[in-house]
Amino acid sequence: MKQTVLAILVFCFLCGQGVVRAQEYESDTTSLGILLTKEKAFHINMHTLGYGLGYRIGRNISYYKNRMYEIDLIEMKAPNQVKTYNPRIPRSKSYIYGKLNYLYMLRAGCGKQHLVNRKPYWGGVEVRFFYYGGLTAAFERPVYLYIAYYTSIGDIVYYDLKLERYDPERHFTYVSTDENCDIAGGGPILSGFDKIKIRPGAYTRLGFNFEFSKYNNLIRALEIGVMVDVLPFGTEIMAFKDPSWFFINGYFSFHFGKRYN
């Protein structure tokens, strides 16, 4: 992952030099036709540790510069998490052993886009360099699991399932000699929402936007870049790990929307 992020950063630095050259032609805006001053778009985000959804609105300062505002919600996974299941429990649900919390990040910020490569009059791809920054609210939702408690009557073993918050000191993937229990599977999808904690932070992102729509009033674009989230108070995703306070991810996203006046 580090090599991918580094390659994206180098690409951003080299190609970003085109922003300055593009601005040299800003006086030529009137020759490009009608400038639609407003735009809005939804986007679907896939990054190295999860996925998310978002929304942007903005204003075109000129053909070469946009000022944008964005909000998005993404899931942030741990890089070493692996799904497993209990083979001794019929129809058991999968779960991630050692995972303490699910982590979701709600971001709100603003930024700018600068034209690097103008779309030809017959169509093609328009390239813009962008940078954004703003505030992050990270939501920790604790993991709940079904725990199997075993009892024996003669040679027959019975078990009862109980929904409990994951406790790394008590819940294991094998039968505990102290508790005579083990993890049976993951809990309901909505479990833990009443125990959510919020961790404040900040984020930034930069990269390139590739717009390929045939029509000026429609937005169809792919975006590739790097995003960085910082949580000063840290957050715990996995047990027996130090709290995480810094996340850096490569990502790509698909954007669809429209421009208007």
Side-chain angles (χ1 to χ4, degrees), residues 6-91:
L6 180 60
I8 294 174
L9 287 172
V10 172
F11 180 67
C12 289
F13 174 77
L14 294 175
C15 295
Q17 306 304 311
V19 173
V20 176
R21 291 193 294 271
Q23 290 176 336
E24 295 175 359
Y25 300 98
E26 190 155 352
S27 60
D28 189 38
T29 301
T30 55
S31 68
L32 298 173
I34 298 174
L35 176 66
L36 299 176
T37 58
K38 301 177 183 178
E39 65 178 73
K40 57 184 178 181
F42 292 93
H43 62 265
I44 301 170
N45 182 312
M46 298 292 292
H47 62 90
T48 48
L49 292 178
Y51 58 91
L53 300 170
Y55 179 70
R56 284 180 185 166
I57 59 173
R59 178 174 292 274
N60 299 316
I61 302 172
S62 72
Y63 193 86
Y64 297 91
K65 290 187 294 186
N66 301 0
R67 180 178 291 114
M68 307 294 294
Y69 302 89
E70 67 174 2
I71 184 169
D72 63 8
L73 178 65
I74 66 169
E75 178 192 32
M76 195 70 71
K77 301 177 181 178
N80 59 336
Q81 67 180 48
V82 178
K83 283 188 177 182
T84 186
Y85 71 98
N86 189 334
R88 291 175 297 182
I89 305 295
R91 298 183 298 277

Coordinates of all heavy atoms in Angstrom, one line a residue, residues 6-91:
L6 N 2.8 6.3 -2.5 CA 4.0 7.1 -2.9 C 3.9 7.4 -4.4 O 4.2 8.5 -4.8 CB 5.3 6.3 -2.5 CG 6.6 7.0 -2.9 CD1 6.7 8.4 -2.2 CD2 7.8 6.2 -2.6
A7 N 3.5 6.4 -5.2 CA 3.4 6.6 -6.6 C 2.4 7.7 -7.0 O 2.6 8.5 -7.8 CB 3.1 5.3 -7.3
I8 N 1.3 7.6 -6.3 CA 0.2 8.6 -6.5 C 0.7 10.0 -6.1 O 0.5 11.0 -6.9 CB -1.1 8.3 -5.7 CG1 -1.7 7.0 -6.2 CG2 -2.1 9.4 -5.8 CD1 -2.8 6.5 -5.4
L9 N 1.4 10.1 -5.0 CA 2.0 11.5 -4.6 C 3.0 12.0 -5.6 O 2.9 13.2 -5.9 CB 2.6 11.3 -3.2 CG 1.7 11.1 -2.0 CD1 2.5 10.8 -0.8 CD2 0.9 12.4 -1.8
V10 N 3.8 11.1 -6.1 CA 4.8 11.6 -7.1 C 4.1 12.0 -8.4 O 4.4 13.0 -9.0 CB 5.8 10.5 -7.4 CG1 6.7 10.8 -8.6 CG2 6.7 10.2 -6.2
F11 N 3.1 11.2 -8.8 CA 2.3 11.6 -10.0 C 1.6 12.9 -9.8 O 1.6 13.8 -10.7 CB 1.3 10.5 -10.3 CG 0.4 10.7 -11.4 CD1 0.9 10.7 -12.7 CD2 -1.0 11.0 -11.3 CE1 0.1 10.9 -13.8 CE2 -1.8 11.2 -12.4 CZ -1.2 11.1 -13.6
C12 N 1.0 13.2 -8.6 CA 0.4 14.4 -8.3 C 1.3 15.6 -8.4 O 1.0 16.7 -9.0 CB -0.3 14.4 -6.9 SG -1.7 13.3 -6.8
F13 N 2.6 15.4 -7.9 CA 3.6 16.5 -7.9 C 4.0 16.8 -9.4 O 4.0 18.0 -9.8 CB 4.8 16.1 -7.1 CG 5.9 17.1 -7.2 CD1 5.9 18.3 -6.5 CD2 7.0 16.9 -8.0 CE1 6.9 19.2 -6.6 CE2 8.0 17.8 -8.1 CZ 8.0 18.9 -7.4
L14 N 4.3 15.8 -10.2 CA 4.7 16.1 -11.5 C 3.7 16.7 -12.4 O 3.9 17.7 -13.1 CB 5.2 14.8 -12.1 CG 6.5 14.1 -11.5 CD1 6.8 12.8 -12.1 CD2 7.7 15.1 -11.6
C15 N 2.4 16.1 -12.3 CA 1.4 16.6 -13.2 C 0.8 17.9 -12.7 O 0.3 18.7 -13.5 CB 0.3 15.5 -13.3 SG 0.8 14.0 -14.1
G16 N 1.0 18.2 -11.4 CA 0.4 19.4 -10.8 C 1.1 20.6 -11.4 O 0.6 21.7 -11.3
Q17 N 2.3 20.4 -12.0 CA 3.0 21.6 -12.6 C 2.2 22.1 -13.8 O 2.4 23.3 -14.2 CB 4.4 21.1 -13.1 CG 5.2 20.5 -12.0 CD 5.4 21.4 -10.8 OE1 5.7 22.5 -10.9 NE2 5.1 20.8 -9.6
G18 N 1.3 21.3 -14.3 CA 0.5 21.7 -15.5 C -0.5 22.7 -15.0 O -1.1 23.4 -15.9
V19 N -0.9 22.8 -13.7 CA -1.8 23.8 -13.3 C -1.3 25.2 -13.6 O -2.1 26.1 -14.0 CB -2.0 23.7 -11.8 CG1 -2.9 24.8 -11.2 CG2 -2.7 22.3 -11.5
V20 N -0.1 25.5 -13.3 CA 0.5 26.8 -13.6 C 0.4 27.1 -15.1 O 0.0 28.2 -15.5 CB 2.0 26.9 -13.1 CG1 2.6 28.2 -13.5 CG2 2.0 26.6 -11.6
R21 N 0.7 26.2 -15.9 CA 0.7 26.4 -17.4 C -0.7 26.7 -17.8 O -1.0 27.5 -18.7 CB 1.3 25.2 -18.1 CG 2.8 25.1 -17.9 CD 3.4 24.1 -18.9 NE 2.9 22.8 -18.7 CZ 3.5 21.9 -17.9 NH1 4.6 22.3 -17.2 NH2 3.1 20.7 -17.7
A22 N -1.7 25.9 -17.3 CA -3.1 26.1 -17.6 C -3.6 27.5 -17.3 O -4.4 28.1 -18.0 CB -4.0 25.1 -17.0
Q23 N -3.1 28.1 -16.2 CA -3.6 29.4 -15.7 C -3.1 30.5 -16.6 O -3.6 31.6 -16.7 CB -3.1 29.6 -14.3 CG -3.9 28.8 -13.3 CD -3.4 28.9 -11.9 OE1 -2.2 29.3 -11.7 NE2 -4.2 28.6 -10.9
E24 N -2.0 30.2 -17.4 CA -1.5 31.2 -18.3 C -2.5 31.5 -19.4 O -2.5 32.6 -20.0 CB -0.2 30.7 -18.9 CG 0.9 30.5 -17.9 CD 2.2 29.9 -18.6 OE1 2.1 29.7 -19.8 OE2 3.2 29.7 -17.9
Y25 N -3.4 30.6 -19.6 CA -4.4 30.8 -20.7 C -5.8 31.2 -20.2 O -6.8 31.2 -20.9 CB -4.6 29.5 -21.5 CG -3.3 29.0 -22.1 CD1 -2.5 28.0 -21.5 CD2 -2.8 29.5 -23.3 CE1 -1.3 27.6 -22.0 CE2 -1.6 29.1 -23.9 CZ -0.9 28.1 -23.2 OH 0.3 27.7 -23.8
E26 N -5.8 31.7 -19.0 CA -7.1 32.0 -18.4 C -7.8 33.1 -19.1 O -9.1 33.2 -19.1 CB -6.9 32.4 -16.9 CG -8.2 32.4 -16.1 CD -8.0 32.2 -14.7 OE1 -6.9 31.8 -14.2 OE2 -9.0 32.4 -13.9
S27 N -7.1 34.0 -19.7 CA -7.8 35.1 -20.5 C -8.5 34.6 -21.7 O -9.3 35.3 -22.3 CB -6.7 36.1 -20.9 OG -5.7 35.5 -21.7
D28 N -8.3 33.3 -22.0 CA -8.9 32.8 -23.2 C -10.3 32.1 -22.9 O -10.9 31.4 -23.7 CB -8.0 31.7 -23.8 CG -8.5 31.2 -25.2 OD1 -9.0 32.0 -25.9 OD2 -8.4 30.0 -25.4
T29 N -10.8 32.3 -21.7 CA -12.0 31.7 -21.2 C -13.2 32.0 -22.1 O -14.0 31.1 -22.4 CB -12.4 32.2 -19.8 OG1 -11.3 31.9 -18.9 CG2 -13.7 31.5 -19.3
T30 N -13.3 33.2 -22.7 CA -14.5 33.5 -23.5 C -14.5 32.7 -24.8 O -15.6 32.6 -25.4 CB -14.4 35.0 -23.8 OG1 -13.2 35.3 -24.4 CG2 -14.6 35.8 -22.6
S31 N -13.4 32.2 -25.2 CA -13.4 31.4 -26.5 C -13.9 30.0 -26.3 O -14.0 29.2 -27.2 CB -12.0 31.4 -27.0 OG -11.1 30.6 -26.2
L32 N -14.1 29.6 -25.0 CA -14.5 28.2 -24.7 C -16.0 28.0 -24.7 O -16.5 26.9 -24.5 CB -13.9 27.8 -23.4 CG -12.4 27.8 -23.3 CD1 -12.0 27.6 -21.9 CD2 -11.8 26.8 -24.2
G33 N -16.8 29.0 -25.0 CA -18.2 28.9 -25.0 C -18.9 29.3 -23.7 O -18.3 30.0 -22.9
I34 N -20.1 28.8 -23.4 CA -20.8 29.2 -22.3 C -20.2 28.5 -21.0 O -20.0 27.3 -21.0 CB -22.3 28.8 -22.4 CG1 -22.9 29.5 -23.6 CG2 -23.1 29.1 -21.2 CD1 -24.3 29.1 -23.9
L35 N -20.0 29.3 -20.0 CA -19.5 28.8 -18.7 C -20.7 28.6 -17.8 O -21.4 29.5 -17.4 CB -18.5 29.8 -18.1 CG -18.0 29.4 -16.7 CD1 -17.2 28.1 -16.8 CD2 -17.2 30.5 -16.1
L36 N -20.9 27.3 -17.4 CA -22.0 27.0 -16.4 C -21.3 27.2 -15.0 O -20.3 26.5 -14.7 CB -22.5 25.6 -16.6 CG -23.1 25.3 -18.0 CD1 -23.5 23.9 -18.1 CD2 -24.3 26.2 -18.2
T37 N -21.9 28.0 -14.2 CA -21.2 28.5 -13.0 C -21.4 27.6 -11.8 O -20.7 27.7 -10.8 CB -21.7 29.9 -12.6 OG1 -23.2 29.9 -12.4 CG2 -21.4 30.9 -13.7
K38 N -22.4 26.7 -11.8 CA -22.7 25.9 -10.6 C -22.6 24.4 -11.0 O -22.9 24.0 -12.1 CB -24.0 26.2 -10.0 CG -24.2 27.6 -9.5 CD -25.6 27.9 -9.0 CE -25.7 29.4 -8.6 NZ -27.1 29.6 -8.1
E39 N -22.3 23.6 -10.0 CA -22.3 22.1 -10.3 C -22.6 21.4 -9.0 O -22.3 21.9 -7.9 CB -21.0 21.6 -10.9 CG -19.8 21.8 -10.0 CD -18.6 21.2 -10.8 OE1 -18.1 21.9 -11.7 OE2 -18.1 20.1 -10.4
K40 N -23.1 20.2 -9.1 CA -23.4 19.3 -8.0 C -23.2 17.9 -8.5 O -23.6 17.5 -9.6 CB -24.7 19.5 -7.3 CG -25.9 19.4 -8.3 CD -27.2 19.7 -7.5 CE -28.4 19.6 -8.5 NZ -29.7 20.0 -7.8
A41 N -22.7 17.0 -7.6 CA -22.5 15.6 -8.0 C -22.4 14.7 -6.8 O -22.0 15.1 -5.7 CB -21.2 15.5 -8.8
F42 N -22.9 13.5 -7.0 CA -22.7 12.4 -6.0 C -21.5 11.6 -6.4 O -21.1 11.6 -7.6 CB -23.9 11.5 -5.9 CG -25.2 12.1 -5.4 CD1 -26.1 12.8 -6.2 CD2 -25.4 12.1 -4.0 CE1 -27.2 13.4 -5.7 CE2 -26.5 12.7 -3.5 CZ -27.4 13.3 -4.4
H43 N -20.9 10.9 -5.4 CA -19.8 10.0 -5.8 C -19.7 8.8 -4.9 O -20.2 8.7 -3.8 CB -18.4 10.7 -5.7 CG -18.1 11.3 -4.4 ND1 -18.3 12.6 -4.0 CD2 -17.4 10.7 -3.3 CE1 -17.9 12.7 -2.7 NE2 -17.3 11.6 -2.3
I44 N -19.2 7.7 -5.5 CA -19.0 6.4 -4.8 C -17.5 6.2 -4.7 O -16.8 6.3 -5.7 CB -19.6 5.3 -5.6 CG1 -21.1 5.5 -5.8 CG2 -19.3 3.9 -5.0 CD1 -21.7 4.5 -6.8
N45 N -17.0 6.0 -3.5 CA -15.6 6.0 -3.2 C -15.2 4.5 -2.8 O -15.8 3.9 -2.0 CB -15.4 6.9 -2.0 CG -13.9 7.0 -1.6 OD1 -13.2 6.1 -1.4 ND2 -13.5 8.3 -1.4
M46 N -14.0 4.1 -3.4 CA -13.4 2.9 -3.0 C -12.0 3.2 -2.6 O -11.2 3.8 -3.4 CB -13.4 1.8 -4.1 CG -14.8 1.4 -4.5 SD -15.7 0.4 -3.3 CE -14.7 -1.1 -3.3
H47 N -11.6 2.8 -1.4 CA -10.2 3.1 -1.0 C -9.5 1.9 -0.4 O -10.2 0.8 -0.3 CB -10.2 4.3 0.1 CG -10.9 4.0 1.3 ND1 -10.3 3.5 2.4 CD2 -12.2 4.2 1.7 CE1 -11.2 3.4 3.4 NE2 -12.3 3.8 3.0
T48 N -8.3 2.0 0.0 CA -7.5 0.8 0.4 C -8.0 0.2 1.7 O -7.6 -1.0 1.9 CB -6.0 1.2 0.5 OG1 -5.9 2.3 1.3 CG2 -5.4 1.4 -0.9
L49 N -8.8 0.9 2.4 CA -9.3 0.3 3.7 C -10.8 0.3 3.8 O -11.4 0.2 4.9 CB -8.7 1.0 4.9 CG -7.2 0.8 5.1 CD1 -6.7 1.6 6.3 CD2 -6.8 -0.6 5.3
G50 N -11.5 0.4 2.6 CA -13.0 0.4 2.7 C -13.6 1.1 1.5 O -13.1 1.1 0.4
Y51 N -14.8 1.7 1.8 CA -15.6 2.3 0.7 C -16.4 3.4 1.4 O -16.5 3.6 2.6 CB -16.5 1.2 0.1 CG -17.4 0.5 1.1 CD1 -18.7 1.0 1.4 CD2 -17.0 -0.6 1.8 CE1 -19.5 0.4 2.3 CE2 -17.8 -1.2 2.7 CZ -19.1 -0.7 3.0 OH -19.9 -1.3 3.9
G52 N -17.2 4.1 0.5 CA -18.0 5.2 1.0 C -18.8 5.9 0.0 O -18.7 5.6 -1.2
L53 N -19.6 6.9 0.4 CA -20.5 7.7 -0.5 C -20.2 9.2 -0.1 O -19.9 9.5 1.0 CB -21.9 7.3 -0.3 CG -22.4 5.9 -0.6 CD1 -23.8 5.7 -0.1 CD2 -22.2 5.6 -2.1
G54 N -20.5 10.0 -1.1 CA -20.3 11.4 -0.9 C -21.1 12.3 -1.8 O -21.8 11.9 -2.8
Y55 N -21.1 13.6 -1.5 CA -21.8 14.6 -2.3 C -21.0 15.9 -2.3 O -20.4 16.3 -1.3 CB -23.2 14.9 -1.7 CG -24.0 15.9 -2.4 CD1 -24.6 15.7 -3.6 CD2 -24.2 17.2 -1.8 CE1 -25.4 16.6 -4.2 CE2 -25.0 18.1 -2.4 CZ -25.6 17.9 -3.6 OH -26.4 18.8 -4.2
R56 N -21.0 16.5 -3.5 CA -20.2 17.8 -3.7 C -21.1 18.8 -4.4 O -21.9 18.5 -5.3 CB -19.0 17.6 -4.5 CG -17.8 17.0 -3.8 CD -16.6 16.8 -4.8 NE -15.5 16.1 -4.1 CZ -14.5 15.6 -4.8 NH1 -14.4 15.8 -6.1 NH2 -13.6 14.9 -4.1
I57 N -20.9 20.1 -4.0 CA -21.5 21.2 -4.7 C -20.4 22.2 -4.9 O -19.4 22.2 -4.1 CB -22.7 21.9 -3.9 CG1 -22.2 22.4 -2.6 CG2 -23.8 20.9 -3.8 CD1 -23.3 23.1 -1.8
G58 N -20.5 23.1 -5.9 CA -19.4 24.0 -6.1 C -19.8 25.1 -7.1 O -20.9 25.1 -7.7
R59 N -18.9 26.0 -7.3 CA -19.0 27.1 -8.2 C -17.8 27.2 -9.0 O -16.7 27.1 -8.5 CB -19.3 28.4 -7.4 CG -19.4 29.7 -8.3 CD -19.7 30.9 -7.5 NE -21.1 30.8 -7.0 CZ -22.2 31.1 -7.6 NH1 -22.1 31.6 -8.9 NH2 -23.4 31.0 -7.1
N60 N -18.0 27.4 -10.3 CA -16.9 27.6 -11.3 C -16.5 29.0 -11.3 O -17.2 29.9 -11.7 CB -17.3 27.1 -12.7 CG -17.7 25.7 -12.7 OD1 -17.0 24.8 -12.1 ND2 -18.8 25.4 -13.4
I61 N -15.3 29.3 -10.7 CA -14.8 30.7 -10.6 C -14.4 31.1 -12.0 O -14.7 32.3 -12.4 CB -13.5 30.7 -9.8 CG1 -13.8 30.3 -8.3 CG2 -12.9 32.1 -9.7 CD1 -12.6 30.1 -7.5
S62 N -13.9 30.2 -12.8 CA -13.6 30.4 -14.2 C -13.6 29.1 -14.9 O -13.8 28.1 -14.2 CB -12.3 31.2 -14.5 OG -11.2 30.3 -14.2
Y63 N -13.3 29.0 -16.2 CA -13.1 27.7 -16.8 C -12.0 26.9 -16.2 O -12.0 25.7 -16.3 CB -12.9 27.8 -18.3 CG -13.1 26.6 -19.1 CD1 -14.4 26.2 -19.5 CD2 -12.0 25.7 -19.4 CE1 -14.6 25.0 -20.2 CE2 -12.2 24.6 -20.1 CZ -13.5 24.2 -20.5 OH -13.6 23.0 -21.1
Y64 N -11.0 27.6 -15.6 CA -9.8 26.9 -15.1 C -9.8 26.6 -13.6 O -9.0 25.9 -13.1 CB -8.6 27.8 -15.5 CG -8.4 28.0 -16.9 CD1 -9.0 29.0 -17.6 CD2 -7.7 27.0 -17.7 CE1 -8.9 29.1 -19.0 CE2 -7.5 27.2 -19.0 CZ -8.1 28.2 -19.7 OH -8.0 28.3 -21.0
K65 N -10.8 27.2 -12.9 CA -10.7 27.0 -11.4 C -12.2 26.8 -10.9 O -13.1 27.5 -11.3 CB -10.1 28.3 -10.7 CG -8.6 28.4 -11.0 CD -8.0 29.5 -10.1 CE -8.5 30.9 -10.5 NZ -7.9 32.0 -9.8
N66 N -12.3 25.8 -10.0 CA -13.6 25.6 -9.3 C -13.3 25.6 -7.8 O -12.3 25.2 -7.3 CB -14.1 24.1 -9.6 CG -14.3 23.9 -11.1 OD1 -14.1 24.8 -11.9 ND2 -14.8 22.7 -11.4
R67 N -14.3 26.2 -7.1 CA -14.3 26.1 -5.6 C -15.4 25.2 -5.2 O -16.6 25.3 -5.6 CB -14.6 27.5 -5.0 CG -14.6 27.5 -3.5 CD -14.8 28.8 -2.9 NE -13.6 29.7 -3.1 CZ -13.6 30.8 -3.8 NH1 -14.7 31.2 -4.4 NH2 -12.5 31.5 -4.0
M68 N -15.1 24.1 -4.5 CA -16.0 23.0 -4.2 C -16.2 22.8 -2.7 O -15.3 23.1 -1.9 CB -15.5 21.7 -4.8 CG -15.1 21.8 -6.3 SD -16.6 22.1 -7.3 CE -17.5 20.5 -7.0
Y69 N -17.4 22.3 -2.3 CA -17.7 21.9 -0.9 C -18.1 20.5 -1.0 O -18.9 20.1 -1.9 CB -18.7 22.8 -0.3 CG -18.4 24.3 -0.3 CD1 -18.7 25.1 -1.4 CD2 -17.7 24.8 0.8 CE1 -18.3 26.4 -1.4 CE2 -17.3 26.2 0.8 CZ -17.6 27.0 -0.3 OH -17.3 28.3 -0.3
E70 N -17.7 19.7 0.0 CA -18.0 18.3 0.0 C -18.4 17.7 1.4 O -18.0 18.3 2.4 CB -16.8 17.5 -0.6 CG -15.6 17.5 0.3 CD -14.5 16.5 -0.2 OE1 -14.7 15.9 -1.3 OE2 -13.5 16.4 0.4
I71 N -19.1 16.6 1.3 CA -19.4 15.9 2.5 C -19.4 14.4 2.1 O -19.9 14.1 1.0 CB -20.8 16.3 3.2 CG1 -21.0 15.5 4.5 CG2 -21.9 16.1 2.2 CD1 -22.2 16.0 5.3
D72 N -18.8 13.5 2.9 CA -18.8 12.1 2.6 C -18.8 11.3 3.9 O -18.4 11.7 4.9 CB -17.8 11.7 1.6 CG -16.3 11.9 2.1 OD1 -16.1 12.3 3.2 OD2 -15.4 11.8 1.3
L73 N -19.2 10.0 3.7 CA -19.2 9.1 4.8 C -18.5 7.8 4.3 O -18.9 7.2 3.3 CB -20.6 8.7 5.2 CG -20.7 7.7 6.4 CD1 -20.1 8.2 7.7 CD2 -22.2 7.3 6.5
I74 N -17.4 7.4 5.0 CA -16.6 6.2 4.6 C -16.5 5.3 5.7 O -16.5 5.7 6.9 CB -15.3 6.6 4.0 CG1 -14.4 7.2 5.1 CG2 -15.4 7.5 2.8 CD1 -12.9 7.3 4.6
E75 N -16.3 4.0 5.4 CA -15.9 3.0 6.4 C -14.4 2.9 6.4 O -13.7 3.0 5.3 CB -16.5 1.7 6.0 CG -16.1 0.5 7.0 CD -16.5 -0.8 6.5 OE1 -16.5 -1.0 5.3 OE2 -16.8 -1.7 7.3
M76 N -13.8 2.7 7.6 CA -12.4 2.5 7.7 C -12.1 1.2 8.4 O -12.4 1.0 9.6 CB -11.7 3.7 8.5 CG -10.2 3.8 8.4 SD -9.7 4.3 6.7 CE -10.2 6.0 6.7
K77 N -11.5 0.3 7.7 CA -11.2 -1.0 8.2 C -9.7 -1.1 8.7 O -8.9 -0.2 8.4 CB -11.3 -2.1 7.2 CG -12.8 -2.2 6.6 CD -12.8 -3.3 5.5 CE -14.2 -3.4 4.9 NZ -14.3 -4.4 3.8
A78 N -9.4 -2.1 9.5 CA -8.0 -2.4 9.9 C -7.3 -3.1 8.7 O -7.9 -4.0 8.1 CB -7.9 -3.1 11.2
P79 N -6.1 -2.8 8.4 CA -5.4 -3.5 7.3 C -5.2 -5.0 7.5 O -5.0 -5.7 6.6 CB -4.1 -2.8 7.2 CG -3.9 -2.1 8.5 CD -5.2 -1.8 9.1
N80 N -5.2 -5.5 8.8 CA -4.9 -6.9 9.1 C -6.1 -7.7 9.4 O -6.0 -8.8 9.9 CB -3.8 -7.0 10.2 CG -4.3 -6.3 11.5 OD1 -5.2 -5.4 11.4 ND2 -3.8 -6.7 12.6
Q81 N -7.3 -7.1 9.3 CA -8.5 -7.9 9.7 C -8.8 -9.0 8.7 O -8.7 -8.8 7.5 CB -9.7 -7.0 9.9 CG -10.2 -6.3 8.7 CD -11.4 -5.4 9.0 OE1 -11.4 -4.6 9.9 NE2 -12.5 -5.5 8.2
V82 N -9.3 -10.2 9.2 CA -9.6 -11.3 8.4 C -10.9 -11.9 8.9 O -11.0 -12.2 10.1 CB -8.5 -12.4 8.4 CG1 -8.8 -13.6 7.6 CG2 -7.2 -11.8 7.9
K83 N -11.8 -12.3 8.0 CA -13.0 -12.9 8.5 C -12.8 -14.4 8.7 O -12.0 -15.1 8.1 CB -14.1 -12.8 7.4 CG -14.8 -11.4 7.3 CD -15.9 -11.4 6.4 CE -16.6 -10.0 6.4 NZ -17.8 -10.0 5.5
T84 N -13.5 -14.9 9.7 CA -13.5 -16.3 10.0 C -14.8 -16.8 10.5 O -15.8 -16.0 10.6 CB -12.4 -16.6 11.1 OG1 -12.3 -18.0 11.3 CG2 -12.8 -16.0 12.4
Y85 N -15.0 -18.0 10.9 CA -16.2 -18.5 11.4 C -16.0 -19.7 12.3 O -14.9 -20.3 12.3 CB -17.2 -18.9 10.3 CG -16.8 -20.1 9.5 CD1 -17.4 -21.4 9.8 CD2 -15.8 -20.1 8.5 CE1 -17.0 -22.5 9.1 CE2 -15.5 -21.2 7.8 CZ -16.0 -22.4 8.1 OH -15.7 -23.6 7.4
N86 N -17.0 -20.1 13.1 CA -16.8 -21.3 14.0 C -17.4 -22.5 13.3 O -18.6 -22.6 13.1 CB -17.6 -21.0 15.3 CG -17.3 -22.0 16.4 OD1 -17.0 -23.2 16.1 ND2 -17.4 -21.6 17.6
P87 N -16.6 -23.5 12.9 CA -17.0 -24.6 12.2 C -17.9 -25.6 13.0 O -18.5 -26.5 12.5 CB -15.7 -25.3 11.7 CG -14.7 -24.9 12.7 CD -15.1 -23.5 13.1
R88 N -17.8 -25.4 14.3 CA -18.6 -26.3 15.2 C -20.0 -25.9 15.4 O -20.8 -26.6 16.0 CB -17.9 -26.4 16.6 CG -16.5 -27.2 16.5 CD -15.8 -27.2 17.8 NE -15.5 -25.8 18.2 CZ -14.8 -25.5 19.4 NH1 -14.5 -26.5 20.2 NH2 -14.5 -24.3 19.6
I89 N -20.3 -24.7 15.0 CA -21.7 -24.1 15.2 C -22.4 -24.2 13.8 O -21.9 -23.5 12.9 CB -21.7 -22.7 15.7 CG1 -20.9 -22.6 17.0 CG2 -23.1 -22.2 15.9 CD1 -21.5 -23.4 18.1
P90 N -23.5 -25.0 13.7 CA -24.2 -25.0 12.4 C -24.7 -23.7 11.9 O -25.2 -22.9 12.7 CB -25.3 -26.0 12.6 CG -24.9 -26.8 13.8 CD -24.1 -25.9 14.7
R91 N -24.5 -23.4 10.7 CA -24.9 -22.1 10.1 C -24.5 -20.9 10.8 O -25.2 -19.9 10.9 CB -26.5 -22.1 10.0 CG -27.0 -23.2 9.1 CD -28.5 -23.1 8.9 NE -29.2 -23.3 10.2 CZ -29.4 -24.5 10.8 NH1 -29.1 -25.6 10.2 NH2 -30.0 -24.6 12.0

